[in-house]
Amino acid sequence: MKLHNIFLLIFVALWRPTTQHIFLNKFYGNYQEQLRTQDEIHSAKYEYEIKTINMPIDHFSFSKVDTFKLRYLVNNTWQKEENAPIFFYTGNEGNIETFAQNTGFMWEIAPEFGALLIFAEHRYYGESMPYGNKSYANINNLGYLTSQQALADYIDLIEYLRSKPEYKHSPVVVFGGSYGGMLSAWIRMKYPHIIQGAIASSAPILQFSGVTECETFARIVTSDFRKAHSNCPKLIRKSWNTITNITSSDKGKEWLSEDWKLCKPLKNETDVKQFKSYLEDVYANLAVVNYPYKANFLAPLPAYPVNAVCKHLTNESLSGTELLTAVHKAINVFTNYTSETKCLDLNNSTPQLDAVGWPFQSCTEMVMPMCSDGVNDMFEPNPWNLDEYSKECMKKFSVTPQSNLVCEQYGCKDLSTATNIIFSNGLMDPWSSGGVLQNLSSSAIAIIIPESAHHLDLRSSEINDPYSVILARKYHRYFIKQWIKEHREKEGKLH
């Protein structure tokens, strides 16, 4: 089959996304917090050398001279010659070792390309703390946590690598998933003279005010659950009022606390609100990691965990305590799949201190509206209110959100000048609502993966991978070869 015909099969952008949705901060913080703990759960699958490099705390000032050590991981096992391709992972908001362990695609293709692997840690995450244990102490210390500063870190690291004779003419291809995918896209857009190409998987670069609709994420989560069973989202939607009614009495709170084996019993409305928030987080988590095989990414989970959850929520007539007991059994797929959890700790769904970085970013430049209407989705109605959001940000961090900053810095509505970027999005992934779902230019390509959840194409190959995921990886390799070829032809003419 000719190449352009195959493109038609996989690049089908069936619609321009007029409704897109955006990060639920409390979910995303929890998501990253759990990612950080994975290196404590499993042993390292891939080997690397850990290095550090001195970085300016402020890249854009001539008066601030403070520096810090940025951590990065290196593997040169497959490098066979000088000017080997540099495959560079643009680190997310978490410990870089976790992302190195969960980006198997880079490791799998490195031998084919004879590539040097680099995984760079994002400032203010993992061990790359500009002011040590005082990095989050106040706004003066924390104010240098921005995507612009992080991209400048990565450019400085790349330029340091290419200052060595053996890498002087090396092509650089960046990889990233989720926020890391956003960084990969942006670094290619902003520094095309340094970055030859980018694989930006599940990168919601359009999830900003004025570009997206705030409720689309919740609708995609709901769609995933509806696909598992038509009654599943109906029962979840019904459960919110049921929780409210049952917990309106002390006896009801006591019953739910005991039936669900909560570590800390529900005592008041604040506890009930936290309980509901916990459930929202779990439902979102399940949709995000709805992988076709057993995985231990956020928690030990079976293949297609949403299907496993919805097997308990098929009887539309369920109500009252019977409904909540069924929901509890369903939730156990996520919270207690291994049957080792003694009690349910609702605090586990809230970001801890070492995950505070993302909420700060979402209160400054990464302002991504989130809402639900309770009609087109399975959640309680929750409108987006920028004024209230801003008040919370001022209360937490003494900052006022700049909701237009990202679109001003990188572009949102007009990205026609973007080149050499692959935007891959799985239609099962709620984050695809803010992804690029149609080609931006002849070389800024949208790959639609119907059977994929969150950046599944960047994970290691598994026997149960859907064909669309396998095909997407083939296209990643094809375009990487093209970018490297273009770079070497250009370098040959210059030298």
Side-chain angles (χ1 to χ4, degrees), residues 18-32:
T18 56
T19 59
Q20 294 153 336
H21 156 68
I22 202 126
F23 293 90
L24 176 61
N25 290 325
K26 54 185 170 54
F27 156 65
Y28 204 81
N30 178 53
Y31 167 60
Q32 296 304 330

Side-chain angles (χ1 to χ4, degrees), residues 71-96:
R71 192 165 64 131
Y72 64 101
L73 316 178
V74 182
N75 184 299
N76 63 356
T77 302
W78 300 283
Q79 179 186 340
K80 298 175 183 142
E81 56 189 7
E82 288 193 351
N83 299 316
I86 298 173
F87 287 176
F88 190 101
Y89 189 90
T90 52
N92 302 48
E93 64 288 36
N95 188 314
I96 190 58

